[in-house]
Structure formats: structure tokens, C-alpha cells
Amino acid sequence: MMSRMAHSSHFAAFPLALLAMAVLAASGSLVAQEGTKWVQAQGAYIVHDHSYLEDGFGLGLGGGTWITDRWGVELSALNTDIKGQHGFNGLSGRETHAFLSGLMNFNPGGATWSPFLRLGLGATRLEEPWSGKSESTTRPNVHLGLGVQGHFAEH
């Protein structure tokens, strides 16, 4: 039965994105500039499509650079533990996502904030038993997102 299970999850990041936008918008001088580099910590609450999987938190790291005022690139990874419930208790494994993203700044040179589009390719590694095999498996992924970025201090 395990080999027939499809696995998918949604990152419930919308409330976190709204909070981040509010903080960034209130912080004053926020702007994406050519050559700006960053390192970031990520957090997500993951809501699974299947009732036999517990919802939970994911943590990750990333970094990137604005190549021009309009275009940027980012590399990031996000990891979570997947735990079973409702008849699948005791089953657990990790899910790891790696992303390579292209970024498009909607407000190049903006004086207050920089909303951006994130689009890219990546890979998702699922550990057994959630891989549908007797071992871990890696599957390709495509991702799309919206974000906002700013600087809290001059360097």
C-alpha cells in the first residue's frame, strides 16, 4: 500500500509573507541594488494533502545576489520531518527541498521596498517510508512564489 501513496504538501507561508511585508514596509529605506548579496533563514508551516500525515514546521537556509537591479538568483534548501498519524503512527522520515531560483524585481531602484517574483527548478528528497520505495528517492520540482525584500541598514 505504501508504494501507491502519492505525497504532496503545501507550504502555508502566506501569513508569514504578509508579516514579512509589513515589517519590511515599515522599516524605511528598502531597496534591491545590483550586486547586493544575502544569506537568509527560512521557516514554513507545511500542510499536507493527506490526512495520514501530520502538519509541521520546516526550517531552511538560503543565499543569493541581485545580478542587476531587475534580475537576481537564489539558492536555498528547506527540511522537514514527516510523521504519520491515523493508522500510520510510528512512521517518520525527512523531506528535503533544494531550490535554484531566478528572481525578477518588480520595483528596480525603488526607494521603499522590492517585491519580486521567484521561479525555478529544484529537487525534493523523500526518505523511506514516504518515498514509496524501500529507500530514499529524489524527485524534480518546479516552484513559483512572490516575496518582498529590503535592507535594514547601510553596509
Side-chain angles (χ1 to χ4, degrees), residues 8 17 95:
S8 64
E95 177 180 50

Side-chain angles (χ1 to χ4, degrees), residues 11-151:
F11 293 89
F14 186 71
L16 294 174
L18 288 178
L19 177 61
M21 283 191 242
V23 169
L24 292 175
S27 68
S29 176
L30 306 174
V31 61
Q33 297 175 358
E34 182 176 334
T36 300
K37 294 172 180 46
W38 65 89
V39 175
Q40 65 195 13
Q42 298 175 341
Y45 186 74
I46 298 147
V47 178
H48 294 280
D49 288 343
H50 305 289
S51 63
Y52 56 83
L53 298 175
E54 287 183 14
D55 297 342
F57 290 94
L59 297 173
L61 294 172
T65 186
W66 287 106
I67 299 166
T68 69
D69 286 348
R70 169 82 61 192
W71 303 103
V73 64
E74 180 179 82
L75 181 63
S76 60
L78 186 70
N79 188 57
T80 186
D81 290 323
I82 305 173
K83 296 179 183 171
Q85 63 182 1
H86 305 302
F88 293 89
N89 297 13
L91 297 177
S92 66
R94 288 190 175 275
E95 177 180 50
T96 304
H97 302 271
F99 307 106
L100 176 60
S101 308
L103 307 176
M104 185 181 88
N105 183 356
F106 291 122
N107 190 23
T112 58
W113 51 280
S114 297
F116 63 90
L117 173 71
R118 179 182 184 208
L119 174 66
L121 300 173
T124 299
R125 182 169 178 80
L126 290 166
E127 288 184 355
E128 190 271 327
W130 309 118
S131 64
K133 299 179 177 183
S134 61
E135 59 189 28
S136 296
T137 187
T138 302
R139 300 175 184 166
N141 68 45
V142 175
H143 58 276
L144 172 69
L146 295 172
V148 66
Q149 185 182 61
H151 304 282

